[in-house]
Amino acid sequence: AQIAVLTESTDRPDTPLTRELHRLVRTVAAIAVGVGATFFGLTALLDTPASDGFIFAIGITVALVPEGLLPTVTLSLAIGAQQMADQHALVRRLESVETLGSTTFICTDKTGTITQNRMSVAQVWTSEGLVRIDGSGYEPAATVEADGPAARRVAADAAITALACSTGRAVENSGVWVAHGDPMEAAIDALTRRLGLDAGMPEAAITNKFPFDPHRRRASVVTDTEVLVKGAPDSVFERCDALDPSAPAALAAMAERGLRVLTVAAAGPRPERVPTTADEAEHGLKLLALLGFQDPPRPEARGAIDACRAAGIGVAMITGDDPRTARAIAEQVDLRTSDAPVLSGTDLPDDDQLLGALIDRDGVVIARVSPEQKLRIAKALRARGHVVAMTGDGVNDGPALREADIGVAMGLTGSDVAREAADLVLLDDNFATIVAAVRQGRATFENARRFLTYHLTDNVAELTPFAIWALSGGRFPLALGVLQVLALDIGTDTLSAAALGAEPATEGVMAQPPSSGRLLNRTTAIRAFTVAGPTEAVFEMGAFIVGLMAAGWRPGDPFPTGIQLAAASGAAFLTVVVAQSANAFACRSLTRPAWRLGWFTNRFLLAAVVVEVCLAGLFIAVPALANFVGQRLPPAATWPVILLSAPAVLVADAMWKRRAVRGPVREGSELPPEHEKQS
């Protein structure tokens, strides 16, 4: 109940993408409305009728708003979520796709995430000697070596005792022995079979049960004659009378090998009155054995951790295991760095600022952590500016999963509570899957910048005719009307922008530090407002002027009206469409010109551009549509300008990339970090 209260009282933080979209939307809205109001005032000064001035101001506002941005973002996130699902990472909230790409710190469990969660008892320590077990998985068959008959007998008693406190079992499924329930308890069941014992104690002999909880870290059952206990070594040692002095040394030896150690003890005969509380039952214990569980690390864990470090992401291990076991596993997979501390839950300071300073380092290992401490760790790291990904599988992990920027639950072994609190569910419980998801998240964020650049370039071309009209005091006619702007934004640009959202991740996406989280950074602004946008605007206005001259207009003459003006406007419209088609291919990379990317490597984009051009043709060739938006088929003299706009955009983009990228850049990588500054 306390854990449920903690989980429900923890507010889920806004994702970096949500915060950035809110900022971007507010900024764009303020600029668009401000400029629209300014132009409305300008029309009043030019004695334009108020109704016409209002429509004109609406056109300016529409030209500055990238209407397709939010649906394109949503579609890009959906594509990213689908691709993550193909890599065994199930997204529960779309925004989490991008959050993974912004992650700066991953707090990972040990068991099942770094390790395989295929438990097997490799060693049993008793006061009579050691018993060594060499077996595979949960198979009943294994090689058992004991220091003597007494050691084997005590180990068998300990196995039966531990099994009585367990509900998980090893079961045969289609000829393969697998864990049903908790893998550690299934390994205990397998141990009893390997020692030649029956399935365990009859349920009728058990009169009371006290399940495991994260604070006691023990579980016990009461029988007709005794109390049987299993639990974490330190929690059981403190309840034992006359503890064997060699037990702590045996525990240390097992833990330093990376074994997960479980202590088994018993007390009896029990008093006449059946204990009603765990505290009443679990005292005066006699230590029976230490069970050392082997849980090998995942082979891919080391490479995944190296990939995190190359991507500028810190990794910490947070576990409930013994610090020595956690340290051994962390060192086996190179998670712990040479100067990183190994901390226990009791070492953590009460002050959150001190806690953040203590654990904010790559490779730190924190063991014996309670649910409350795990929640504090997430809060402390977020308070230091980190975007935190937290993994968990149990009910106890719910609060921390909800507090973290991205909660990651285990799909194979996780509880329903953990999955409900999480943003991402790993279908294979594998740390390497988190790294693959981070890669996809970064690709999604880069795609968001790609189609933002695409949208903003179009906005420059759309705004230019209105700016020229205003600067001329209304004497120069509008090259584009309000409905033409809407046709460009909604009718022709949306598909290409969405196709950019499906662009695959570049080779170097994990070789860069995490993004600043700003969609509109300096690189995006420069490309849209000083390179591609002005190039499109120059050819757009050039096509419009050529169209006017084809109708007989010369500088100083009155401007043509009616069909002739509509034909010149159609030329400007088609120029923007053709130039934007080229710009879509240019936006695919920050470093390479479009012709080096392969025209067919993003088939979605190729199809989108074809549809875009066909739609533009309908807006020009179908009389009803052409009349509705206010344009006509361009005169023949304008077609060279219209068609040359595409190579012009590609060349301008390639020249900027050549100048912006100084020094060699690995094929497929994006701009180095100095080009990713905020605007």
Side-chain angles (χ1 to χ4, degrees):
Q2 291 173 345
I3 292 170
V5 170
L6 272 178
T7 303
E8 293 183 359
S9 62
T10 302
D11 293 330
R12 196 184 297 275
D14 286 338
T15 67
L17 181 62
T18 299
R19 294 193 295 269
E20 173 61 10
L21 284 176
H22 286 168
R23 184 191 70 84
L24 183 62
V25 166
R26 287 193 298 267
T27 302
V28 171
I31 293 174
V33 172
V35 173
T38 300
F39 273 81
F40 180 71
L42 183 59
T43 59
L45 294 176
L46 296 174
D47 296 326
T48 303
S51 58
D52 292 344
F54 179 75
I55 295 297
F56 181 77
I58 292 295
I60 288 288
T61 305
V62 169
L64 288 172
V65 174
E67 293 88 350
L69 177 61
L70 295 183
T72 304
V73 168
T74 303
L75 185 57
S76 178
L77 293 175
I79 293 171
Q82 177 61 51
Q83 292 174 340
M84 285 186 181
D86 293 339
Q87 300 178 65
H88 309 293
L90 183 63
V91 175
R92 299 188 68 250
R93 292 197 305 152
L94 276 183
E95 300 98 320
S96 304
V97 174
E98 185 278 329
T99 307
L100 276 164
S102 303
T103 298
T104 61
F105 208 97
I106 298 176
C107 298
T108 177
D109 276 343
K110 176 184 74 68
T111 303
T113 310
I114 297 298
T115 64
Q116 299 178 28
N117 204 18
R118 289 177 53 84
M119 300 277 189
S120 62
V121 180
Q123 191 176 86
V124 180
W125 174 90
T126 72
S127 58
E128 301 293 337
L130 286 176
V131 177
R132 289 165 287 275
I133 302 96
D134 184 9
S136 173
Y138 303 103
E139 299 282 342
T143 302
V144 179
E145 296 181 0
D147 287 348
R152 182 169 182 137
R153 184 176 63 254
V154 176
D157 291 341
I160 291 293
T161 299
L163 189 62
C165 301
S166 306
T167 56
R169 294 293 184 267
V171 297
E172 188 175 14
N173 185 4
S174 301
V176 179
W177 286 83
V178 297
H180 180 72
D182 184 84
M184 176 178 277
E185 295 182 346
I188 294 172
D189 185 28
L191 173 65
T192 61
R193 300 174 192 274
R194 290 169 177 178
L195 293 174
L197 305 173
D198 292 332
M201 182 175 297
E203 188 70 21
I206 298 175
T207 59
N208 207 349
K209 294 183 178 182
F210 302 103
F212 177 89
D213 76 55
H215 297 288
R216 281 173 39 245
R217 292 185 291 119
R218 295 184 298 272
S220 58
V221 297
V222 180
T223 72
D224 294 334
T225 58
E226 58 186 341
V227 177
L228 310 177
V229 181
K230 71 170 186 178
D234 53 342
S235 73
V236 175
F237 283 179
E238 66 185 15
R239 296 282 175 147
C240 289
D241 293 341
L243 182 67
D244 189 320
S246 62
L251 167 63
M254 284 183 173
E256 287 169 2
R257 285 182 52 195
L259 299 181
R260 189 176 182 183
V261 183
L262 186 71
T263 307
V264 184
R270 70 171 179 81
E272 291 298 325
R273 189 173 66 86
V274 176
T276 57
T277 66
D279 187 65
E280 185 181 346
E282 298 165 356
H283 67 85
L285 303 178
K286 177 185 177 183
L287 181 64
L288 295 179
L290 300 176
L291 308 184
F293 293 81
Q294 181 175 291
D295 185 13
R298 293 183 180 272
E300 61 272 25
R302 186 190 301 266
I305 291 169
D306 291 342
C308 284
R309 294 207 168 105
I313 301 172
V315 183
M317 178 186 286
I318 302 178
T319 178
D321 282 354
D322 185 283
R324 291 162 294 194
T325 302
R327 175 175 182 158
I329 296 296
E331 290 178 346
Q332 288 178 30
V333 297
D334 284 346
L335 185 148
R336 179 177 178 266
T337 57
S338 57
D339 58 344
V342 178
L343 306 171
S344 181
T346 56
D347 300 329
L348 302 181
D350 294 331
D351 183 83
D352 285 350
Q353 289 187 346
L354 293 177
L355 173 63
L358 179 64
I359 64 176
D360 186 6
R361 61 190 72 190
D362 182 37
V364 66
V365 177
I366 312 173
R368 295 296 189 217
V369 175
S370 69
E372 295 86 354
Q373 290 170 331
K374 198 166 184 177
L375 176 62
R376 287 187 60 221
I377 288 169
K379 287 182 176 179
L381 288 171
R382 290 188 63 240
R384 291 177 66 86
H386 282 292
V387 177
V388 179
M390 176 76 71
T391 72
D393 57 3
V395 174
N396 308 327
D397 297 320
L401 293 177
R402 194 173 178 87
E403 171 65 28
D405 294 284
I406 178 81
V408 183
M410 303 298 111
L412 290 177
T413 59
S415 65
D416 289 340
V417 173
R419 287 192 286 266
E420 181 65 26
D423 305 291
L424 185 77
V425 178
L426 302 185
L427 302 181
D428 57 1
D429 294 7
N430 194 338
F431 182 82
T433 302
I434 301 177
V435 179
V438 169
R439 176 183 173 87
Q440 183 58 50
R442 289 192 171 190
T444 300
F445 187 78
E446 288 302 321
N447 287 345
R449 279 188 177 158
R450 289 184 176 101
F451 53 67
L452 178 61
T453 306
Y454 177 81
H455 278 304
L456 293 179
T457 301
D458 197 22
N459 292 157
V460 172
E462 292 168 354
L463 181 61
T464 298
F466 294 93
I468 292 176
W469 177 88
L471 292 173
S472 70
R475 290 185 292 273
F476 193 89
L478 275 172
L480 292 178
V482 175
L483 293 179
Q484 287 171 298
V485 169
L486 286 173
L488 287 169
D489 282 348
I490 300 173
T492 64
D493 278 359
T494 304
L495 284 178
S496 294
L500 285 172
E503 189 71 23
T506 57
E507 179 186 344
V509 72
M510 290 295 285
Q512 305 289 341
S515 170
S516 65
R518 292 294 178 92
L519 285 172
L520 182 56
N521 62 359
R522 189 175 69 173
T523 302
T524 302
I526 290 174
R527 292 185 71 192
F529 299 138
T530 69
V531 181
T535 303
E536 286 191 16
V538 166
F539 275 82
E540 168 197 20
M541 297 310 299
F544 182 66
I545 292 172
V546 170
L548 295 177
M549 295 179 69
W553 174 81
R554 294 295 181 269
D557 295 344
F559 288 100
T561 58
I563 293 177
Q564 293 174 328
L565 180 60
S569 183
F573 177 86
L574 276 185
T575 301
V576 176
V577 172
V578 172
Q580 276 291 88
S581 299
N583 185 43
F585 288 97
C587 287
R588 293 181 59 199
S589 173
L590 283 174
T591 59
R592 293 185 293 168
W595 53 83
R596 291 186 58 196
L597 299 172
W599 301 106
F600 302 98
T601 51
N602 186 338
R603 296 183 182 276
F604 293 109
L605 181 58
L606 187 64
V609 167
V610 171
V611 173
E612 176 181 328
V613 172
C614 290
L615 283 175
L618 291 176
F619 279 118
I620 287 289
V622 177
L625 290 176
N627 290 334
F628 179 71
V629 299
Q631 61 188 15
R632 288 290 189 276
L633 188 68
T638 62
W639 282 100
V641 181
I642 294 172
L643 297 177
L644 283 174
S645 64
V649 168
L650 295 178
V651 170
D653 174 75
M655 292 176 63
W656 176 82
K657 289 173 180 175
R658 183 174 181 180
R659 181 179 178 184
V661 183
R662 298 183 178 90
V665 177
R666 184 170 63 240
E667 187 74 11
S669 68
E670 293 298 331
L671 287 183
E674 58 266 24
H675 291 276
E676 293 299 316
K677 297 177 182 177
Q678 298 176 8
S679 59

